[in-house]
Coordinates of all heavy atoms in Angstrom, one line a residue:
M1 N 0.8 -1.2 0.0 CA 0.0 0.0 0.0 C 0.9 1.3 0.0 O 0.5 2.2 -0.6 CB -0.9 0.0 1.2 CG -1.9 1.1 1.2 SD -3.5 0.2 1.5 CE -4.6 1.4 1.1
N2 N 2.0 1.2 0.7 CA 2.9 2.3 0.7 C 3.5 2.6 -0.6 O 3.6 3.8 -1.0 CB 4.0 2.0 1.7 CG 4.9 3.3 2.0 OD1 4.4 4.4 1.7 ND2 6.0 3.1 2.6
K3 N 3.8 1.6 -1.4 CA 4.3 1.8 -2.8 C 3.3 2.5 -3.6 O 3.6 3.3 -4.4 CB 4.7 0.4 -3.4 CG 5.4 0.6 -4.7 CD 5.9 -0.8 -5.2 CE 6.7 -0.6 -6.5 NZ 7.3 -1.8 -7.0
R4 N 2.0 2.1 -3.5 CA 0.9 2.7 -4.3 C 0.8 4.2 -3.9 O 0.6 5.0 -4.7 CB -0.4 2.0 -4.0 CG -1.5 2.5 -4.8 CD -2.8 1.8 -4.7 NE -3.8 2.4 -5.4 CZ -5.0 2.0 -5.5 NH1 -5.4 0.9 -4.8 NH2 -6.0 2.6 -6.1
S5 N 0.9 4.5 -2.6 CA 0.8 5.8 -2.2 C 2.0 6.7 -2.7 O 1.8 7.8 -3.2 CB 0.9 5.9 -0.6 OG 0.9 7.2 -0.2
N6 N 3.2 6.1 -2.8 CA 4.3 6.8 -3.4 C 4.1 7.0 -4.9 O 4.5 8.1 -5.4 CB 5.6 6.0 -3.2 CG 6.1 6.1 -1.7 OD1 5.7 7.0 -1.0 ND2 6.9 5.2 -1.3
N7 N 3.5 6.1 -5.6 CA 3.3 6.2 -7.0 C 2.2 7.3 -7.2 O 2.4 8.1 -8.2 CB 2.8 4.9 -7.6 CG 3.9 3.9 -7.8 OD1 5.0 4.3 -7.8 ND2 3.5 2.6 -7.9
E8 N 1.2 7.4 -6.4 CA 0.2 8.4 -6.5 C 0.8 9.8 -6.3 O 0.5 10.8 -7.0 CB -1.0 8.2 -5.6 CG -1.8 7.0 -6.0 CD -2.9 6.7 -5.0 OE1 -3.1 7.4 -4.0 OE2 -3.6 5.7 -5.2
Q9 N 1.7 9.9 -5.3 CA 2.3 11.1 -5.0 C 3.3 11.5 -6.1 O 3.3 12.7 -6.5 CB 3.1 11.1 -3.7 CG 2.3 11.1 -2.4 CD 3.1 10.9 -1.2 OE1 4.3 10.6 -1.2 NE2 2.5 11.2 0.0
S10 N 3.9 10.6 -6.7 CA 4.8 10.9 -7.9 C 4.0 11.4 -9.0 O 4.4 12.3 -9.7 CB 5.6 9.6 -8.3 OG 6.5 9.2 -7.3
L11 N 2.9 10.8 -9.3 CA 2.0 11.3 -10.4 C 1.5 12.6 -10.1 O 1.4 13.5 -11.0 CB 0.9 10.3 -10.6 CG 1.3 8.9 -11.3 CD1 0.1 8.0 -11.3 CD2 1.8 9.2 -12.7
E12 N 1.1 12.9 -8.8 CA 0.6 14.2 -8.5 C 1.7 15.3 -8.7 O 1.5 16.4 -9.1 CB 0.1 14.2 -7.0 CG -1.2 13.5 -6.8 CD -1.6 13.4 -5.4 OE1 -0.8 13.9 -4.5 OE2 -2.6 12.8 -5.1
I13 N 2.9 14.9 -8.3 CA 4.1 15.9 -8.5 C 4.3 16.1 -9.9 O 4.5 17.3 -10.4 CB 5.3 15.3 -7.8 CG1 5.2 15.4 -6.2 CG2 6.6 16.1 -8.2 CD1 6.2 14.7 -5.5
L14 N 4.3 15.1 -10.7 CA 4.5 15.2 -12.2 C 3.4 16.1 -12.8 O 3.6 17.0 -13.6 CB 4.5 13.8 -12.8 CG 4.7 13.8 -14.4 CD1 6.1 14.5 -14.7 CD2 4.7 12.4 -14.9
A15 N 2.1 15.8 -12.4 CA 1.0 16.6 -12.9 C 1.2 18.1 -12.5 O 0.9 19.0 -13.3 CB -0.3 16.1 -12.3
A16 N 1.6 18.3 -11.3 CA 1.8 19.7 -10.8 C 2.9 20.4 -11.6 O 2.8 21.6 -11.9 CB 2.2 19.7 -9.3
R17 N 4.0 19.6 -11.9 CA 5.1 20.2 -12.7 C 4.6 20.6 -14.1 O 4.9 21.7 -14.6 CB 6.2 19.2 -12.9 CG 7.1 19.1 -11.7 CD 8.2 18.2 -11.9 NE 9.1 18.1 -10.7 CZ 10.1 17.3 -10.6 NH1 10.3 16.3 -11.5 NH2 10.8 17.3 -9.5
F18 N 3.8 19.7 -14.7 CA 3.2 20.0 -16.1 C 2.3 21.2 -16.0 O 2.3 22.1 -16.9 CB 2.5 18.8 -16.6 CG 3.4 17.8 -17.3 CD1 3.4 16.5 -16.8 CD2 4.2 18.2 -18.3 CE1 4.3 15.6 -17.4 CE2 5.1 17.3 -18.9 CZ 5.1 16.0 -18.5
E19 N 1.5 21.3 -14.9 CA 0.6 22.4 -14.8 C 1.4 23.7 -14.6 O 1.0 24.7 -15.3 CB -0.3 22.2 -13.5 CG -1.4 23.3 -13.3 CD -2.2 23.0 -12.2 OE1 -2.1 21.9 -11.6 OE2 -3.1 23.9 -11.8
Y20 N 2.4 23.7 -13.8 CA 3.3 24.9 -13.7 C 3.9 25.3 -15.0 O 3.9 26.5 -15.4 CB 4.3 24.6 -12.6 CG 5.4 25.7 -12.5 CD1 5.1 26.9 -11.9 CD2 6.6 25.6 -13.1 CE1 6.0 27.9 -11.8 CE2 7.6 26.6 -13.0 CZ 7.3 27.7 -12.3 OH 8.2 28.7 -12.2
A21 N 4.5 24.3 -15.7 CA 5.1 24.6 -17.0 C 4.1 25.2 -18.0 O 4.5 26.1 -18.7 CB 5.8 23.3 -17.5
S22 N 3.0 24.6 -18.1 CA 2.0 25.1 -19.1 C 1.5 26.5 -18.7 O 1.4 27.4 -19.6 CB 0.8 24.2 -19.2 OG 0.1 24.1 -18.0
A23 N 1.4 26.8 -17.4 CA 1.0 28.2 -17.0 C 2.1 29.2 -17.4 O 1.9 30.3 -17.8 CB 0.7 28.2 -15.5
A24 N 3.4 28.7 -17.1 CA 4.5 29.6 -17.5 C 4.6 29.9 -18.9 O 4.9 31.0 -19.4 CB 5.8 29.0 -16.9
V25 N 4.4 28.8 -19.7 CA 4.5 29.0 -21.2 C 3.4 29.9 -21.7 O 3.6 30.8 -22.5 CB 4.4 27.6 -21.9 CG1 4.2 27.7 -23.4 CG2 5.7 26.8 -21.6
L26 N 2.2 29.8 -21.1 CA 1.1 30.6 -21.5 C 1.4 32.1 -21.1 O 1.1 33.0 -21.9 CB -0.2 30.2 -20.9 CG -0.9 28.9 -21.4 CD1 -2.0 28.5 -20.5 CD2 -1.3 29.2 -22.8
T27 N 2.0 32.3 -20.0 CA 2.3 33.6 -19.5 C 3.4 34.2 -20.4 O 3.3 35.4 -20.8 CB 2.8 33.6 -18.1 OG1 1.8 33.1 -17.3 CG2 3.2 35.0 -17.6
I28 N 4.4 33.4 -20.8 CA 5.4 33.9 -21.7 C 4.9 34.3 -23.1 O 5.2 35.3 -23.6 CB 6.6 32.9 -21.8 CG1 7.3 32.8 -20.5 CG2 7.5 33.2 -23.0 CD1 8.3 31.6 -20.3
G29 N 3.9 33.4 -23.5 CA 3.3 33.7 -24.8 C 2.5 35.0 -24.8 O 2.5 35.8 -25.7
D30 N 1.8 35.2 -23.7 CA 1.1 36.5 -23.5 C 2.0 37.7 -23.5 O 1.7 38.8 -24.0 CB 0.2 36.5 -22.2 CG -1.0 35.5 -22.3 OD1 -1.3 35.2 -23.4 OD2 -1.5 35.2 -21.3
M31 N 3.2 37.5 -22.8 CA 4.1 38.6 -22.7 C 4.7 38.9 -24.1 O 4.8 40.1 -24.5 CB 5.3 38.3 -21.8 CG 4.8 38.3 -20.3 SD 6.1 37.7 -19.2 CE 7.3 39.0 -19.3
L32 N 5.0 37.9 -24.9 CA 5.5 38.1 -26.3 C 4.4 38.8 -27.1 O 4.8 39.7 -27.9 CB 5.9 36.8 -26.9 CG 7.1 36.1 -26.3 CD1 7.3 34.7 -26.9 CD2 8.4 37.0 -26.6
A33 N 3.2 38.4 -27.0 CA 2.1 39.1 -27.7 C 2.0 40.5 -27.3 O 1.7 41.4 -28.2 CB 0.8 38.3 -27.5
T34 N 2.1 40.8 -26.1 CA 2.0 42.2 -25.6 C 3.1 43.0 -26.1 O 2.9 44.2 -26.6 CB 2.0 42.2 -24.0 OG1 0.9 41.4 -23.6 CG2 1.9 43.6 -23.5
I35 N 4.4 42.5 -26.1 CA 5.5 43.2 -26.6 C 5.3 43.5 -28.1 O 5.5 44.6 -28.6 CB 6.8 42.4 -26.4 CG1 7.1 42.4 -24.9 CG2 8.0 43.0 -27.2 CD1 8.2 41.4 -24.5
S36 N 4.9 42.5 -28.9 CA 4.6 42.6 -30.3 C 3.6 43.6 -30.6 O 3.7 44.5 -31.5 CB 4.2 41.2 -30.9 OG 3.9 41.4 -32.2
A37 N 2.5 43.6 -29.8 CA 1.4 44.6 -30.0 C 1.9 46.0 -29.7 O 1.6 47.0 -30.4 CB 0.2 44.3 -29.1
G38 N 2.7 46.2 -28.7 CA 3.3 47.5 -28.4 C 4.2 48.0 -29.5 O 4.1 49.2 -29.8
I39 N 5.0 47.1 -30.1 CA 5.9 47.5 -31.2 C 5.1 47.9 -32.4 O 5.3 49.0 -33.0 CB 6.9 46.4 -31.5 CG1 7.9 46.2 -30.4 CG2 7.6 46.7 -32.9 CD1 8.7 44.9 -30.6
T40 N 4.1 47.1 -32.7 CA 3.2 47.4 -33.8 C 2.5 48.8 -33.6 O 2.4 49.6 -34.5 CB 2.2 46.3 -34.0 OG1 2.9 45.1 -34.2 CG2 1.3 46.6 -35.2
L41 N 1.9 49.0 -32.4 CA 1.2 50.2 -32.1 C 2.2 51.4 -32.3 O 1.8 52.4 -32.9 CB 0.6 50.2 -30.7 CG 0.0 51.5 -30.3 CD1 -1.2 51.8 -31.2 CD2 -0.5 51.3 -28.8
R42 N 3.4 51.3 -31.8 CA 4.3 52.4 -31.8 C 4.7 52.7 -33.3 O 4.7 53.9 -33.7 CB 5.6 52.0 -31.1 CG 6.7 52.9 -31.1 CD 6.4 54.2 -30.4 NE 7.5 55.1 -30.5 CZ 8.0 55.8 -29.6 NH1 7.5 55.7 -28.4 NH2 9.0 56.6 -29.7
L43 N 4.9 51.7 -34.1 CA 5.3 51.9 -35.5 C 4.1 52.5 -36.3 O 4.3 53.4 -37.1 CB 5.7 50.6 -36.1 CG 7.0 50.0 -35.6 CD1 7.3 48.7 -36.2 CD2 8.2 51.0 -35.8
L44 N 2.9 52.0 -36.0 CA 1.7 52.6 -36.7 C 1.5 54.1 -36.3 O 1.1 54.9 -37.2 CB 0.5 51.8 -36.3 CG 0.4 50.4 -37.0 CD1 -0.8 49.6 -36.4 CD2 0.3 50.5 -38.5
E45 N 1.7 54.4 -35.0 CA 1.6 55.8 -34.6 C 2.6 56.7 -35.3 O 2.3 57.8 -35.8 CB 1.7 55.9 -33.1 CG 0.5 55.3 -32.3 CD 0.8 55.3 -30.8 OE1 2.0 55.4 -30.4 OE2 -0.2 55.2 -30.1
E46 N 3.8 56.2 -35.4 CA 4.9 57.0 -36.0 C 4.6 57.1 -37.5 O 4.9 58.1 -38.1 CB 6.2 56.4 -35.7 CG 6.7 56.6 -34.3 CD 8.1 56.2 -34.0 OE1 8.8 55.8 -35.0 OE2 8.5 56.3 -32.8
A47 N 4.1 56.0 -38.1 CA 3.9 56.0 -39.6 C 2.7 57.0 -39.9 O 2.8 57.7 -40.9 CB 3.5 54.6 -40.1
S48 N 1.7 57.1 -39.0 CA 0.6 58.0 -39.3 C 1.0 59.5 -39.0 O 0.4 60.4 -39.6 CB -0.6 57.6 -38.5 OG -0.4 57.8 -37.1
S49 N 2.0 59.7 -38.2 CA 2.4 61.1 -37.9 C 3.4 61.6 -38.9 O 3.5 62.8 -39.0 CB 3.0 61.1 -36.5 OG 4.3 60.5 -36.4
T50 N 4.0 60.8 -39.6 CA 4.9 61.2 -40.7 C 4.5 60.6 -42.0 O 4.3 59.4 -42.1 CB 6.4 60.9 -40.4 OG1 6.5 59.5 -40.3 CG2 6.9 61.5 -39.2
S51 N 4.3 61.4 -43.0 CA 3.8 60.8 -44.3 C 4.8 60.1 -45.0 O 4.5 59.1 -45.7 CB 3.3 62.0 -45.2 OG 4.3 62.9 -45.4
S52 N 6.1 60.5 -45.0 CA 7.2 59.7 -45.6 C 8.3 59.5 -44.6 O 8.7 60.5 -44.0 CB 7.7 60.4 -46.9 OG 8.3 61.6 -46.5
S53 N 8.7 58.3 -44.5 CA 9.8 58.0 -43.5 C 10.8 57.1 -44.2 O 10.5 56.1 -44.7 CB 9.2 57.3 -42.3 OG 10.2 56.9 -41.4
S54 N 12.1 57.6 -44.1 CA 13.2 56.8 -44.6 C 13.9 56.1 -43.5 O 15.0 55.5 -43.7 CB 14.1 57.7 -45.4 OG 14.7 58.7 -44.5
K55 N 13.4 56.2 -42.2 CA 14.1 55.6 -41.1 C 13.8 54.1 -41.1 O 12.8 53.6 -41.6 CB 13.5 56.1 -39.8 CG 13.8 57.6 -39.6 CD 13.1 58.1 -38.3 CE 13.3 59.6 -38.2 NZ 12.6 60.1 -37.0
T56 N 14.7 53.3 -40.5 CA 14.6 51.9 -40.4 C 13.6 51.6 -39.2 O 13.4 52.5 -38.4 CB 15.9 51.2 -40.1 OG1 16.4 51.6 -38.9 CG2 16.9 51.4 -41.3
T57 N 13.1 50.4 -39.1 CA 12.2 50.0 -38.1 C 12.8 50.2 -36.7 O 12.2 50.8 -35.8 CB 11.8 48.6 -38.2 OG1 11.2 48.4 -39.5 CG2 10.8 48.1 -37.2
E58 N 14.1 49.8 -36.5 CA 14.7 49.9 -35.2 C 14.9 51.4 -34.8 O 14.8 51.8 -33.7 CB 16.0 49.2 -35.2 CG 16.6 49.1 -33.8 CD 17.8 48.1 -33.7 OE1 17.6 47.0 -34.1 OE2 18.8 48.6 -33.2
S59 N 15.2 52.2 -35.8 CA 15.4 53.6 -35.5 C 14.1 54.4 -35.1 O 14.2 55.4 -34.5 CB 16.1 54.4 -36.6 OG 15.3 54.5 -37.7
N60 N 13.0 53.8 -35.4 CA 11.7 54.4 -35.0 C 11.4 54.2 -33.6 O 10.6 54.8 -33.0 CB 10.5 53.8 -35.8 CG 10.5 54.2 -37.3 OD1 11.1 55.3 -37.6 ND2 9.9 53.5 -38.1
L61 N 12.1 53.3 -32.9 CA 12.0 53.0 -31.5 C 13.1 53.8 -30.8 O 14.2 53.9 -31.3 CB 12.0 51.5 -31.2 CG 11.0 50.7 -31.9 CD1 11.3 49.2 -31.6 CD2 9.6 51.0 -31.3
F62 N 12.8 54.2 -29.6 CA 13.8 54.8 -28.8 C 14.8 53.8 -28.3 O 14.4 52.6 -28.1 CB 13.2 55.5 -27.5 CG 12.4 56.7 -27.9 CD1 11.0 56.7 -27.6 CD2 12.9 57.9 -28.4 CE1 10.2 57.8 -27.9 CE2 12.2 59.0 -28.7 CZ 10.8 58.9 -28.5
P63 N 16.1 54.1 -28.2 CA 17.1 53.1 -27.9 C 16.7 52.4 -26.6 O 16.9 51.2 -26.5 CB 18.4 53.9 -27.7 CG 18.2 55.1 -28.6 CD 16.7 55.4 -28.5
F64 N 16.2 53.1 -25.6 CA 15.9 52.4 -24.3 C 14.8 51.4 -24.5 O 14.7 50.4 -23.8 CB 15.6 53.4 -23.2 CG 14.3 54.2 -23.4 CD1 13.1 53.6 -22.8 CD2 14.2 55.4 -24.0 CE1 11.9 54.3 -23.0 CE2 13.0 56.0 -24.2 CZ 11.8 55.5 -23.6
E65 N 13.8 51.7 -25.4 CA 12.8 50.7 -25.7 C 13.3 49.4 -26.3 O 12.9 48.3 -25.9 CB 11.7 51.3 -26.6 CG 10.9 52.4 -26.0 CD 9.9 53.0 -27.0 OE1 10.3 53.2 -28.1 OE2 8.8 53.2 -26.6
V66 N 14.3 49.6 -27.2 CA 14.9 48.4 -27.8 C 15.7 47.6 -26.7 O 15.6 46.4 -26.6 CB 15.8 48.8 -28.9 CG1 16.6 47.6 -29.5 CG2 15.0 49.5 -30.1
E67 N 16.4 48.3 -25.9 CA 17.2 47.6 -24.8 C 16.2 46.9 -23.8 O 16.5 45.8 -23.4 CB 18.0 48.6 -24.1 CG 19.2 49.1 -24.9 CD 20.0 50.3 -24.2 OE1 19.8 50.5 -23.0 OE2 20.8 50.9 -25.0
Q68 N 15.1 47.6 -23.5 CA 14.2 47.0 -22.5 C 13.5 45.8 -23.1 O 13.4 44.8 -22.4 CB 13.1 48.0 -22.2 CG 12.0 47.5 -21.2 CD 11.0 48.5 -20.9 OE1 10.8 49.5 -21.6 NE2 10.2 48.3 -19.9
M69 N 13.2 45.8 -24.4 CA 12.6 44.6 -25.0 C 13.6 43.5 -25.1 O 13.3 42.3 -24.9 CB 12.1 45.0 -26.4 CG 10.8 45.8 -26.4 SD 10.2 46.1 -28.1 CE 11.2 47.4 -28.6
Q70 N 14.9 43.8 -25.3 CA 15.9 42.8 -25.4 C 16.1 42.1 -24.0 O 16.2 40.9 -23.9 CB 17.3 43.4 -25.8 CG 18.4 42.3 -25.9 CD 18.1 41.3 -27.0 OE1 17.8 41.6 -28.1 NE2 18.2 40.0 -26.6
R71 N 16.0 42.9 -22.9 CA 16.1 42.4 -21.6 C 14.9 41.5 -21.3 O 15.0 40.4 -20.7 CB 16.2 43.5 -20.5 CG 17.5 44.1 -20.4 CD 17.6 45.0 -19.1 NE 16.6 46.0 -19.0 CZ 16.8 47.2 -19.6 NH1 17.9 47.5 -20.2 NH2 15.8 48.1 -19.5
Q72 N 13.7 41.9 -21.7 CA 12.5 41.1 -21.5 C 12.6 39.8 -22.3 O 12.3 38.7 -21.7 CB 11.3 41.9 -22.0 CG 10.9 43.0 -21.0 CD 9.8 43.9 -21.6 OE1 9.5 43.8 -22.8 NE2 9.1 44.6 -20.7
M73 N 13.1 39.8 -23.5 CA 13.3 38.6 -24.2 C 14.4 37.7 -23.6 O 14.2 36.5 -23.5 CB 13.7 38.9 -25.7 CG 12.7 39.6 -26.5 SD 11.2 38.7 -26.7 CE 11.8 37.3 -27.7
D74 N 15.4 38.3 -23.1 CA 16.5 37.5 -22.4 C 15.9 36.8 -21.1 O 16.1 35.7 -20.8 CB 17.7 38.3 -22.0 CG 18.5 38.8 -23.2 OD1 18.3 38.2 -24.3 OD2 19.2 39.8 -23.1
D75 N 15.0 37.6 -20.4 CA 14.4 37.0 -19.2 C 13.4 35.9 -19.6 O 13.4 34.8 -18.9 CB 13.6 38.1 -18.5 CG 14.4 39.1 -17.8 OD1 15.7 38.9 -17.6 OD2 13.9 40.2 -17.4
L76 N 12.7 36.0 -20.7 CA 11.8 35.0 -21.1 C 12.6 33.7 -21.6 O 12.2 32.6 -21.2 CB 10.9 35.4 -22.3 CG 10.0 36.6 -22.0 CD1 9.3 37.1 -23.3 CD2 8.9 36.1 -21.0
I77 N 13.7 33.9 -22.2 CA 14.5 32.8 -22.6 C 15.1 32.1 -21.4 O 15.1 30.8 -21.3 CB 15.6 33.2 -23.6 CG1 15.0 33.6 -24.9 CG2 16.7 32.1 -23.8 CD1 16.0 34.4 -25.8
G78 N 15.5 32.8 -20.4 CA 16.0 32.2 -19.2 C 14.9 31.4 -18.5 O 15.2 30.3 -18.0
E79 N 13.7 31.9 -18.5 CA 12.6 31.2 -17.8 C 12.3 29.9 -18.6 O 12.0 28.9 -18.0 CB 11.3 32.1 -17.8 CG 10.2 31.5 -17.1 CD 10.4 31.2 -15.6 OE1 11.2 31.8 -15.0 OE2 9.7 30.3 -15.1
M80 N 12.4 30.0 -19.9 CA 12.1 28.7 -20.7 C 13.2 27.7 -20.4 O 12.9 26.5 -20.3 CB 12.1 29.1 -22.2 CG 10.9 29.9 -22.6 SD 9.3 29.0 -22.3 CE 9.4 27.7 -23.4
R81 N 14.5 28.1 -20.3 CA 15.5 27.2 -19.9 C 15.3 26.6 -18.5 O 15.6 25.4 -18.3 CB 16.9 27.9 -20.0 CG 17.3 28.2 -21.4 CD 18.7 28.8 -21.4 NE 19.1 29.0 -22.8 CZ 19.8 30.1 -23.2 NH1 20.2 31.0 -22.4 NH2 20.1 30.2 -24.5
H82 N 14.9 27.4 -17.6 CA 14.6 26.9 -16.2 C 13.5 25.9 -16.3 O 13.6 24.8 -15.6 CB 14.2 28.1 -15.3 CG 13.7 27.7 -14.0 ND1 14.6 27.2 -13.0 CD2 12.5 27.6 -13.5 CE1 13.9 26.9 -11.9 NE2 12.6 27.2 -12.2
L83 N 12.4 26.2 -17.1 CA 11.3 25.2 -17.2 C 11.8 23.9 -17.8 O 11.4 22.8 -17.4 CB 10.2 25.8 -18.1 CG 9.4 26.8 -17.4 CD1 8.4 27.5 -18.4 CD2 8.6 26.2 -16.3
K84 N 12.7 24.0 -18.8 CA 13.2 22.8 -19.5 C 14.0 21.9 -18.5 O 13.8 20.7 -18.4 CB 14.1 23.2 -20.6 CG 14.7 22.0 -21.4 CD 15.5 22.5 -22.6 CE 16.2 21.3 -23.3 NZ 17.0 21.8 -24.4
R85 N 14.9 22.6 -17.6 CA 15.6 21.9 -16.6 C 14.7 21.2 -15.6 O 14.9 20.1 -15.2 CB 16.6 22.8 -16.0 CG 17.9 23.1 -16.8 CD 18.9 23.8 -16.0 NE 18.5 25.0 -15.3 CZ 18.6 26.2 -15.9 NH1 19.1 26.4 -17.1 NH2 18.1 27.3 -15.2
M86 N 13.7 22.0 -15.2 CA 12.8 21.5 -14.2 C 12.0 20.3 -14.7 O 11.8 19.3 -14.0 CB 11.8 22.6 -13.8 CG 10.9 22.2 -12.7 SD 9.5 23.3 -12.4 CE 8.5 22.9 -13.7
M87 N 11.6 20.3 -15.9 CA 10.9 19.2 -16.5 C 11.7 17.9 -16.7 O 11.2 16.8 -16.8 CB 10.2 19.6 -17.8 CG 9.1 20.7 -17.6 SD 7.9 20.3 -16.4 CE 7.0 19.0 -17.3
Q88 N 13.0 18.1 -16.8 CA 13.9 16.9 -17.0 C 14.2 16.2 -15.7 O 14.8 15.1 -15.7 CB 15.2 17.4 -17.6 CG 15.0 17.8 -19.1 CD 16.3 18.3 -19.7 OE1 17.2 18.6 -19.0 NE2 16.2 18.5 -21.0
L89 N 13.9 16.8 -14.5 CA 14.1 16.1 -13.2 C 13.3 14.8 -13.1 O 12.3 14.6 -13.4 CB 13.9 17.1 -12.1 CG 14.8 18.3 -12.0 CD1 14.4 19.2 -10.9 CD2 16.2 17.9 -11.8

């Protein structure tokens, strides 16, 4: 009976890990969608305010915005690596 109890606990732990991982992946996906929507909005606002623009996409964003987005992407990649390690245990 003790072995069965341990097996049930192991399955519960595994299920909890999958639940955590799926919630984290969904959150990361939402964050990426939010960043993408923000970039798109910013570019559309700038495009509508200037009739002709010879600037590149990256130059339309303030340097600190690009750096902030890069940090957010690095954080998301780090979280994905953490999830991958956690799931391999």
Side-chain angles (χ1 to χ4, degrees):
M1 190 128 192
N2 190 17
K3 187 174 183 177
R4 182 176 177 181
S5 177
N6 285 341
N7 285 340
E8 288 175 6
Q9 286 179 347
S10 294
L11 288 175
E12 289 174 359
I13 291 170
L14 181 61
R17 283 183 178 169
F18 279 122
E19 185 177 352
Y20 173 76
S22 65
V25 169
L26 288 171
T27 301
I28 290 169
D30 289 343
M31 290 174 69
L32 289 173
T34 302
I35 292 168
S36 176
I39 291 170
T40 301
L41 176 61
R42 175 69 181 226
L43 293 175
L44 289 172
E45 287 174 342
E46 287 186 7
S48 69
S49 69
T50 58
S51 59
S52 65
S53 176
S54 62
K55 299 176 182 176
T56 63
T57 301
E58 188 170 308
S59 68
N60 287 340
L61 299 172
F62 292 114
F64 71 90
E65 289 175 318
V66 174
E67 291 173 14
Q68 182 181 14
M69 286 184 282
Q70 182 63 51
R71 280 194 305 273
Q72 289 172 339
M73 294 298 294
D74 292 341
D75 290 344
L76 294 173
I77 291 168
E79 183 64 24
M80 291 299 293
R81 286 183 179 144
H82 174 74
L83 286 171
K84 182 179 176 182
R85 284 191 303 269
M86 186 190 77
M87 296 304 294
Q88 290 176 347
L89 294 177

